[in-house]
């Protein structure tokens, strides 16, 4: 029997609509009590001034392992997740080879167990080799630990395949994540199509390239009664269509990234590839729609869409550089700046979108401080000021558009299954690999 | 037009586009070019301004005219020049663009003239090099020296840009020449109309203060200068118009159309021209055409840019010494 008491923090648990000051007791890896907890504990963490949240859960992170270890490994990616406050992440199957079979899913979980950082739940491929042609063995993938299905950044362009995927995955009650993009409309584009793409002479990716695919997928989800998760939406018309579909009872959820809530397409005037991301940074009116969608609940979750790349790949001409932002370590401060400080969301709502809702989307019994649930806990210091320096990242990806920003708030402690895995900038597995 | 020696001080390390230049700076470049033109007329063909300096021409995209023009401009100012084009060199060995440029710079280069297929590539270089960077065309973004020579030629013909109507015809979407021209012309007080197939005119272009027309015949009677942009077949990822025949039918400038232009309308074309597409042979070689003046003026404008950037560097060096 080991016990850990987190004393005097602000307990926030969206699953119980709880926001109060109190203690949290962890015993043998599970939550033993919250609120006014008395009695002995082996270890105590003083949490005054800190937020005590269910461990954050990321829905969409690339770990690049195996195949592109120069960009990220399971060890570095999960360390970055801890530093960002995440106790669990869903990893993308777009590795080389892809996670399109049971052995590959089990390898992802094994690598995470070796790393001993955070939990990793693989998203299995929807189609073999992510080619969009034939369904992957979804049943086998579920047996190997896959919690949902995705072809990563490859949109499922074939409507027939998407239909069958939504139908077939119903047997396992797992969602299909689709990246909404009509490739014919956005091919060889590097940024949002609009005034700034015209100004800069950069090829545009129109908003309609996203919303057309969202509309198609919603119609297929309605027809099949399958579970659809639309990843990283960025445009007004996507929000509108999803809102209508939810009202009509379609089983759809969706997510956004912090960078799409914070940066607009004018940033490309720097020609800096740190701002090159897919979907592209949109114009201000779209950003306003996303914030409205978060407030009214149309948008369920916020995910990092962590896309790490080595410096030599990213530091290239704009059309040669790959799309993506290494986002895991900056989610919290950017959300605080863009959502909490302006008063768009309360802390209860933000943690819902970073923990409780993602758990529900992935079918995990997490995202809660209820008694007897797994002790995945994140302590957040909401006030600490720091400057984002990619050289300090745990991730191998240094590609952030937020370099040099002075921000507020970061993870203080991350507890995974009752063990302190991250504490004030230190990764436990790095201090003592045997832990 | 002023021919006296300009006493203004040039305060920029790089020339990356006309977007960031002020009307005064553009005028300074044009005036300096005019001075070179006067000196040429007086028989002064070679100047010593850049003696001992090295200008590197880095052309990552094929070019004959611009490269030749820059090379000659540097030589007229007595600079040493090195030419670099990627075929058969280290780019094919996997070296990055920045490393290639840094290696060439390390040989002692003062100014880098760069052409690249990617918008922003010269801007990227300017952040990594100590040398001055002169944009010789970056993808579909800007081509400042081409616009400067177009504007110089117009000013030469019409005396001023103020109040003129200039119509840019053709593929605006893929044209760096159009973007640079729009910035420069607007700053100097001209009215700009862009005219071409609706698939090749981005609707947001109006935010740059230009008017859009799809009917060349309708705008010619108000047009003082028409600039016929080349149809950029190589930049189009899909069909933007049904056929070249139809393009020439709707937007090609032939004698009959040219006769509808405003009295004294000047015809420019940045070239290389596709005879029979953007303009007919009669118009290209006709009395309204200033196509060859443009080429001559291109040399002077490029000399002017190299000269002013060098002036900036010399001043910085003096400051460093004192």
């Amino acid at each position: 029997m080991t016990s850990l008491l987190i004393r005097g923090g602000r307990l926030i648990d969206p699953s119980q609509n709880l926001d109060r000051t109190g203690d949290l007791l962890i015993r043998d890896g599970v939550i033993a009590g919250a609120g006014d907890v008395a009695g002995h504990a082996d270890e105590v963490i003083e949490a005054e001034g800190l937020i005590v949240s269910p461990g954050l859960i990321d829905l969409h992170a690339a770990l690049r392992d195996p195949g592109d270890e120069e960009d990220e490994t399971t060890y570095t990616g999960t360390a970055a997740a801890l530093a960002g406050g995440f106790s669990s992440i869903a990893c993308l199957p777009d590795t080389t080879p892809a996670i399109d079979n049971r052995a590959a899913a089990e390898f992802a979980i094994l690598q995470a167990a070796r790393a001993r950082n955070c939990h990793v739940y693989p998203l299995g491929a929807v189609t073999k080799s992510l080619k969009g042609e034939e369904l992957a063995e979804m049943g086998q993938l579920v047996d190997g630990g896959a919690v949902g299905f995705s072809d990563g950044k490859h949109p499922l362009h074939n409507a027939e395949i998407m239909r069958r995927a939504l139908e077939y995955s119903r047997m396992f009650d797992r969602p299909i994540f689709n990246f909404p993009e009509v490739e014919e409309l956005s091919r060889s584009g590097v940024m949002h199509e609009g005034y700034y793409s015209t100004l800069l002479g950069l090829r545009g990716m129109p908003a309609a390239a996203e919303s057309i695919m969202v509309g198609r997928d919603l119609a297929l989800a309605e027809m099949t009664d399958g579970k659809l998760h639309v990843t990283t939406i960025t445009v007004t018309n996507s929000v509108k269509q999803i809102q209508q579909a939810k009202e009509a009872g379609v089983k759809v959820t969706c997510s956004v990234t912090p960078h799409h809530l914070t940066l607009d397409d004018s940033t490309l005037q720097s020609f800096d590839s740190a701002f090159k991301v897919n979907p592209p940074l949109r114009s201000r009116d779209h950003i306003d729609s996303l914030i409205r969608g978060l407030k009214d609940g149309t948008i369920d979750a916020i995910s990092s869409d962590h896309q790490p790349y080595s410096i030599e790949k990213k530091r290239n001409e704009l059309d040669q550089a790959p799309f993506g932002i290494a986002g895991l370590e900056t989610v919290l401060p950017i959300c605080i700046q863009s959502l909490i400080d302006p008063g768009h969301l309360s802390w209860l709502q933000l943690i819902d979108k970073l923990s409780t809702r993602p758990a529900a989307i992935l079918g995990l019994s997490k995202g809660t401080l209820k008694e007897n649930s797994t002790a995945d806990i994140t302590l957040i210091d909401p006030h600490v000021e720091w400057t984002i320096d990619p050289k300090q990242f745990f991730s191998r990806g240094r590609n952030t558009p937020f370099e040099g920003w002075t921000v507020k708030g970061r993870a203080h402690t991350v507890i995974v299954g009752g063990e302190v895995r991250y504490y004030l900038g230190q990764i436990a597995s790095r201090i003592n690999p045997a832990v | 037009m002023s021919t006296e020696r300009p006493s203004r001080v040039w305060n920029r390390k790089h020339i990356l586009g006309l977007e960031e230049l002020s009307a005064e700076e553009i005028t300074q470049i044009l005036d300096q070019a005019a001075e070179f033109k006067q000196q040429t007329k007086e028989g002064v063909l070679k100047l010593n301004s850049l003696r001992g300096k090295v200008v590197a021409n880095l052309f990552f995209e094929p070019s004959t005219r611009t490269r030749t023009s820059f090379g000659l401009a540097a030589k007229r100012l007595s600079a040493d020049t090195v030419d670099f084009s990627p075929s058969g060199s280290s780019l094919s060995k996997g070296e990055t663009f920045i490393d290639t440029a840094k290696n060439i710079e390390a040989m002692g280069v003062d100014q880098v003239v760069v052409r690249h297929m990617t918008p922003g590539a010269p801007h990227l270089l300017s952040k990594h090099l100590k040398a001055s960077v002169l944009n010789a065309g970056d993808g579909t973004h800007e081509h400042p020296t081409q616009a400067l020579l177009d504007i110089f030629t117009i000013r030469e013909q019409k005396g001023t840009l103020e109040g003129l109507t200039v119509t840019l015809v053709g593929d605006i979407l893929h044209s760096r020449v159009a973007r640079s021209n729009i910035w420069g012309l607007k700053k100097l007080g001209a009215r700009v109309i862009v005219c071409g197939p609706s698939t090749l005119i981005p609707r947001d272009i109006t935010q740059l203060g230009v008017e859009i027309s799809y009917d060349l015949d309708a705008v010619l009677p108000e047009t003082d200068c028409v600039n016929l942009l080349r149809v950029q077949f190589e930049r189009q990822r899909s069909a933007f118009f049904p056929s070249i025949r139809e393009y020439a039918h709707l937007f090609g400038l032939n004698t009959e159309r040219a006769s509808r232009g405003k009295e004294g309308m000047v015809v420019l074309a940045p070239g290389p021209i596709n005879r029979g597409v953007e303009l007919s042979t009669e118009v290209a070689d006709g009395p309204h055409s200033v196509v060859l003046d443009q080429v001559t003026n291109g040399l002077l404008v490029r000399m002017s840019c190299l000269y002013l950037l060098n002036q900036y560097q010399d001043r910085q060096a003096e400051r460093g010494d004192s």
Side-chain angles (χ1 to χ4, degrees):
Chain A
M1 289 262 290
T2 58
S3 55
L4 169 65
L5 183 69
I6 299 164
R7 191 152 58 195
R10 177 180 170 190
L11 305 174
I12 297 182
D13 179 7
S15 76
Q16 308 177 70
N17 201 27
L18 175 82
D19 184 349
R20 59 160 286 191
T21 303
D23 307 330
L24 188 81
L25 182 65
I26 297 166
R27 196 174 287 140
D28 289 337
V30 297
I31 294 171
D36 305 308
V37 183
H40 162 82
D42 303 331
E43 238 187 294
V44 175
I45 297 176
E46 295 296 344
E48 204 185 314
L50 304 180
I51 288 169
V52 181
S53 159
L56 307 185
I57 301 171
D58 195 68
L59 286 172
H60 212 253
L63 291 179
R64 308 269 185 252
D65 183 8
D68 290 293
E69 292 86 350
E70 68 275 23
D71 298 330
E72 195 76 289
T73 64
T74 304
Y75 184 84
T76 57
T78 52
L82 286 178
F86 295 95
S87 57
S88 300
I89 58 174
C91 71
L92 294 174
D94 53 357
T95 46
T96 313
I99 305 178
D100 63 354
N101 60 80
R102 178 174 179 161
E106 290 182 344
F107 177 76
I109 293 168
L110 175 64
Q111 285 289 76
R114 285 171 171 153
R116 290 192 69 83
N117 288 326
C118 69
H119 298 293
V120 172
Y121 298 96
L123 295 170
V126 181
T127 64
K128 288 175 185 150
S129 305
L130 314 173
K131 282 186 177 155
E133 290 162 3
E134 290 174 80
L135 291 184
E137 292 169 339
M138 291 182 169
Q140 299 265 355
L141 281 162
V142 169
D143 288 347
V147 293
F149 301 97
S150 155
D151 270 1
K153 290 287 179 181
H154 305 270
L156 289 153
H157 58 88
N158 182 327
E160 167 76 1
I161 295 282
M162 185 61 182
R163 174 203 172 151
R164 298 303 172 207
L166 283 163
E167 280 175 342
Y168 193 74
S169 61
R170 283 175 52 204
M171 289 197 292
F172 317 108
D173 197 28
R174 298 289 177 187
I176 303 288
F177 285 47
N178 193 20
F179 175 56
E181 182 190 55
V182 176
E183 284 176 315
E184 294 87 341
L185 289 172
S186 55
R187 190 166 294 143
S188 61
V190 295
M191 69 175 292
H192 174 60
E193 181 173 317
Y195 169 67
Y196 286 102
S197 68
T198 301
L199 182 79
L200 300 172
L202 289 167
R203 270 197 187 150
M205 305 160 89
E210 174 180 312
S211 57
I212 290 170
M213 188 62 107
V214 169
R216 183 204 77 171
D217 286 351
L218 290 170
L220 292 172
E222 182 170 30
M223 178 175 93
T224 58
D225 200 32
K227 261 191 185 172
L228 171 69
H229 178 76
V230 191
T231 64
T232 59
I233 62 165
T234 59
V235 305
T236 302
N237 208 10
S238 299
V239 182
K240 275 188 194 160
Q241 293 181 91
I242 290 167
Q243 185 175 26
Q244 280 171 9
K246 283 186 163 184
E247 281 164 12
V250 177
K251 290 177 186 159
V252 58
T253 54
C254 65
S255 54
V256 288
T257 76
H259 44 269
H260 288 110
L261 301 170
T262 310
L263 302 169
D264 65 28
D265 56 343
S266 70
T267 53
L268 269 298
Q269 286 176 287
S270 64
F271 292 108
D272 184 341
S273 66
F275 297 98
K276 183 181 173 187
V277 61
N278 194 13
L281 301 172
R282 301 288 184 184
S283 53
R284 204 68 232 174
D285 49 325
H286 291 297
I287 295 176
D288 293 341
S289 301
L290 296 179
I291 289 172
R292 274 197 300 277
L294 279 166
K295 286 165 84 164
D296 69 21
T298 303
I299 300 173
D300 300 271
I302 298 169
S303 69
S304 70
D305 193 21
H306 184 66
Q307 298 288 338
Y309 285 103
S310 60
I311 293 168
E312 61 272 19
K313 285 186 193 168
K314 201 62 173 168
R315 200 178 67 184
N316 245 320
E317 300 95 303
L318 207 49
D319 54 4
Q320 307 288 317
F323 289 102
I325 287 170
L328 276 170
E329 294 172 67
T330 53
V331 168
L332 260 179
I334 299 303
C335 285
I336 290 170
Q337 177 176 325
S338 296
L339 298 171
I340 298 282
D341 285 349
H344 297 313
L345 296 187
S346 67
W347 270 104
L348 196 65
Q349 287 171 309
L350 179 63
I351 289 172
D352 187 39
K353 292 180 196 299
L354 286 170
S355 177
T356 308
R357 293 291 302 155
I361 290 165
L362 298 173
L364 304 173
S365 53
K366 291 180 181 292
T368 176
L369 297 178
K370 281 184 190 155
E371 254 185 82
N372 294 325
S373 41
T374 308
D376 289 353
I377 310 290
T378 300
L379 306 191
I380 300 164
D381 182 339
H383 301 300
V384 61
E385 270 200 0
W386 59 293
T387 300
I388 296 172
D389 175 7
K391 291 189 196 75
Q392 305 293 321
F393 279 2
F394 288 94
S395 170
R396 283 196 178 165
R398 299 285 187 262
N399 46 312
T400 176
F402 302 116
E403 178 168 5
W405 286 35
T406 297
V407 290
K408 207 176 63 179
R410 74 192 302 181
H412 178 281
T413 304
V414 182
I415 297 166
V416 179
E419 285 180 23
V420 175
R421 294 277 175 87
Y422 177 85
Y423 181 74
L424 282 177
Q426 298 292 320
I427 300 282
S429 63
R430 189 171 277 188
I431 300 163
N432 178 4
V435 169
Chain B
M1 207 179 311
S2 145
T3 52
E4 76 218 44
R5 180 170 288 276
S7 57
R8 288 160 288 184
V9 174
W10 181 261
N11 247 327
R12 251 174 217 284
K13 186 177 174 190
H14 311 290
I15 297 178
L16 301 175
L18 293 198
E19 181 186 355
E20 60 257 31
L21 295 190
S22 66
E24 292 70 32
E25 286 171 316
I26 292 169
T27 306
Q28 189 177 354
I29 297 172
L30 300 182
D31 290 349
Q32 183 61 51
E35 192 184 325
F36 286 140
K37 190 156 196 169
Q38 186 59 34
Q39 288 173 349
T40 307
K41 274 187 196 149
E42 290 161 4
V44 183
L45 295 178
K46 189 100 173 170
L47 297 158
N48 285 328
S49 320
L50 268 72
R51 183 178 294 279
K53 299 294 179 71
V54 181
V55 176
N57 288 313
L58 307 190
F59 278 65
F60 294 88
E61 195 182 59
S63 157
T64 314
R65 303 149 60 98
T66 305
R67 179 144 70 145
T68 310
S69 180
F70 264 113
L72 191 54
K75 287 187 178 77
R76 291 274 301 271
L77 295 168
S78 301
D80 294 316
T81 59
V82 285
D83 275 8
F84 173 86
S85 55
S87 59
S89 66
S90 44
L91 274 197
S92 48
K93 296 172 193 160
E95 191 176 54
T96 70
F97 167 57
I98 294 166
D99 285 335
T100 301
K102 279 189 162 175
N103 271 279
I104 291 169
E105 185 189 39
M107 297 173 197
V109 169
D110 301 289
Q111 295 193 34
V112 173
V113 176
V114 62
R115 160 156 309 181
H116 199 285
M117 53 294 256
T118 304
H123 306 67
L124 184 65
L125 273 196
S126 72
K127 286 176 197 153
H128 290 277
L129 298 187
K130 291 182 203 78
S132 286
V133 177
L134 221 170
N135 183 1
D138 60 328
T140 50
H141 178 223
E142 283 227 41
H143 191 352
T145 58
Q146 177 67 47
L148 288 166
L149 75 88
D150 290 343
I151 293 167
F152 183 90
T153 307
I154 293 171
R155 195 176 79 161
E156 196 173 53
Q157 295 289 326
K158 300 285 185 186
T160 177
L161 271 297
E162 191 73 47
L164 291 184
T165 297
V166 179
T167 301
L168 305 171
V169 181
D171 180 353
I172 307 298
L173 180 64
H174 298 106
S175 176
R176 54 191 172 208
V177 179
R179 279 176 186 76
S180 289
N181 258 285
I182 290 168
W183 286 118
L185 290 167
K186 292 298 296 179
K187 284 177 186 186
L188 296 187
R191 170 189 177 215
V192 180
I193 301 172
V194 293
C195 179
S198 45
T199 45
L200 289 171
I201 299 190
R203 287 190 299 158
D204 293 303
I205 200 96
T206 52
Q207 291 186 51
L208 299 183
V210 305
E211 298 161 46
I212 292 178
S213 168
Y214 307 120
D215 185 350
L216 183 58
D217 292 318
V219 297
L220 281 175
E222 336 170 3
T223 298
D224 295 294
C225 301
V226 60
N227 197 341
L228 304 162
L229 306 174
R230 194 165 63 87
V231 179
Q232 310 231 15
F233 297 106
E234 72 276 14
R235 290 195 198 282
Q236 299 184 3
R237 67 176 174 192
S238 58
F240 284 85
F241 51 83
S243 68
I244 295 174
R245 213 169 84 102
E246 175 144 315
Y247 181 87
H249 172 67
L250 293 171
F251 299 102
L253 192 70
N254 50 34
T255 316
E256 200 257 319
R257 270 205 176 114
S259 70
R260 281 183 223 151
K262 199 166 164 180
E263 175 90 33
M265 182 178 79
V266 172
V267 178
L268 299 98
I273 56 175
N274 299 313
R275 286 177 187 258
V277 182
E278 300 101 19
L279 72 176
S280 69
T281 290
E282 292 82 13
V283 174
D285 303 332
H288 301 298
S289 167
V290 292
V291 172
L292 292 176
D293 299 80
Q294 287 176 271
V295 179
T296 311
N297 294 336
L299 178 70
L300 302 164
V301 159
R302 288 175 181 121
M303 282 172 71
S304 174
C305 291
L306 294 168
Y307 175 85
L308 292 171
L309 290 180
N310 183 62
Q311 216 179 49
Y312 172 88
Q313 288 189 333
D314 283 351
R315 219 175 45 253
Q316 292 299 108
E318 276 168 32
R319 269 186 211 163
D321 290 343
S322 60

